[in-house]
Amino acid sequence: MNNILSHIKTILIQIIIGAGIFYFFLHPFTMVMYWFEFNDTPFSLSKFQEIFGERLNESFSFNMKVMSSLLTLFGAVLGLVSSIFWIKIKSKNIKIDKQHKLLQRDLSEIIADGENERVEFKSSIRYDYFRKTTNRELELVIAKTIVGFMNAKGGKLIIGVDDDGNVLGLENDFKTLKHKNRDGYEREIFRIISTQLGHEACFSNHISFYKLNGEDVCVIDIEPSKKPIYVSDTENTTFYVRTGNATYPLTVKEAVDYLETRKL
């Protein structure tokens, strides 16, 4: 009931504002333009202000003519349309906010349950918490984990959380990037995927960010791949698969046997 009354109030306010703008501003402005055109008078700011003031005072007399009535009606209609549009946007944002809060709660529960066949924690993608500096070798670890999930049943890679489920956040990782924010972080992850796994693998990975305990956390939702995916570094091309709560490399024979079992 409160929402309905709020929506009605928003609609009425927007209609009044729209009608008022068109009646008290657009109509006098139009009349001024007509005046300059029909009187063949060169435009000047001072003359514009003078004529506009006269037409504006005439508007307050409510001596409405056909044109002003039509403009007022048109303004009211635009106000109605804009209010409906605003209500829809506001309702959509409220739903998104509720969904985000539910996802945050679900994420907290997932972290509390620990790592498993479908969930893996990583502290960072580039910042080495042991060396206290940037370590680009960690990017390969991220690539291996993603490949392991893609070659198995898919899963979630949660970055910014250590092995014990403690939320570390992404601030130290942000500092290693050129663009030190979520957008830069997302681009960096997709660069790792594209470089190590191939461009097509990017479409199977979906990145989102959440706030937990005041810290940013990145979640990569990884879809299982219908075809084998390999990690290609400078020296080797390796097949990885997720088994239990760990990711393992397979030999060529093991990879062939594993792929055969997936077909069954």
Side-chain angles (χ1 to χ4, degrees):
M1 186 64 179
N2 289 334
N3 284 340
I4 294 174
L5 291 176
S6 177
H7 292 339
I8 292 174
K9 182 180 178 181
T10 299
I11 291 172
L12 290 175
I13 291 174
Q14 291 291 92
I15 288 175
I16 293 171
I17 291 174
I21 289 174
F22 273 69
Y23 182 78
F24 292 111
F25 178 77
L26 188 60
H27 180 232
F29 182 84
T30 305
M31 291 296 97
V32 173
M33 293 298 99
Y34 282 149
W35 187 91
F36 277 104
E37 182 177 350
F38 289 121
N39 286 275
D40 197 23
T41 303
F43 180 85
S44 68
L45 183 59
S46 58
K47 193 64 178 178
F48 174 86
Q49 292 174 333
E50 177 187 344
I51 302 302
F52 184 82
E54 293 176 0
R55 295 297 179 265
L56 183 62
N57 288 332
E58 186 178 340
S59 295
F60 280 100
S61 70
F62 292 97
N63 182 23
M64 299 182 67
K65 301 176 183 178
V66 175
M67 183 176 180
S68 59
S69 299
L70 289 174
L71 286 172
T72 303
L73 178 61
F74 187 60
V77 171
L78 283 182
L80 175 63
V81 172
S82 65
S83 65
I84 294 173
F85 181 75
W86 168 253
I87 289 170
K88 287 184 176 180
I89 292 293
K90 187 177 180 181
S91 298
K92 184 178 180 181
N93 288 337
I94 290 173
K95 288 181 180 179
I96 291 173
D97 186 56
K98 286 182 178 179
Q99 290 174 349
H100 190 76
K101 288 179 179 178
L102 287 172
L103 288 171
Q104 277 187 318
R105 186 188 67 188
D106 292 343
L107 182 60
S108 296
E109 292 176 356
I110 290 171
I111 293 173
D113 289 339
E115 295 180 323
N116 54 54
E117 186 180 13
R118 304 293 289 271
V119 176
E120 172 80 2
F121 303 151
K122 291 297 179 188
S123 299
S124 61
I125 62 172
R126 293 179 67 174
Y127 181 79
D128 193 323
Y129 279 89
F130 295 102
R131 300 179 184 177
K132 307 299 181 183
T133 187
T134 302
N135 182 0
R136 299 296 291 267
E137 293 178 4
L138 295 177
E139 296 179 5
L140 183 58
V141 176
I142 297 296
K144 291 176 180 178
T145 304
I146 293 173
V147 164
F149 279 122
M150 292 184 70
N151 286 328
K153 299 177 182 178
K156 292 181 183 293
L157 173 56
I158 304 175
I159 308 173
V161 177
D162 67 16
D163 293 338
D164 296 322
N166 299 309
V167 178
L168 304 177
L170 305 175
E171 189 62 32
N172 287 323
D173 252 353
F174 283 163
K175 292 176 181 178
T176 69
L177 305 176
K178 180 179 179 181
H179 301 285
K180 307 178 190 303
N181 51 38
R182 289 182 174 185
D183 287 339
Y185 203 81
E186 183 173 345
R187 286 197 294 268
E188 186 63 20
I189 291 173
F190 278 125
R191 184 196 64 78
I192 294 170
I193 295 171
S194 178
T195 302
Q196 304 284 354
L197 284 63
H199 297 294
E200 290 185 8
C202 293
F203 299 109
S204 298
N205 292 271
H206 311 283
I207 299 172
S208 52
F209 294 89
Y210 301 91
K211 278 283 187 183
L212 292 179
N213 302 334
E215 299 286 351
D216 282 317
V217 172
C218 177
V219 178
I220 307 177
D221 286 291
I222 305 162
E223 297 177 5
S225 176
K226 294 181 180 179
K227 63 179 184 179
I229 305 295
Y230 301 89
V231 173
S232 299
D233 56 29
T234 55
E235 298 178 357
N236 303 298
T237 298
T238 311
F239 184 92
Y240 290 87
V241 67
R242 182 79 175 179
T243 304
N245 63 348
T247 302
Y248 297 99
L250 300 185
T251 65
V252 174
K253 183 179 183 306
E254 289 173 335
V256 171
D257 291 342
Y258 173 76
L259 293 170
E260 286 296 327
T261 60
R262 283 188 59 180
K263 295 178 182 178
L264 299 177

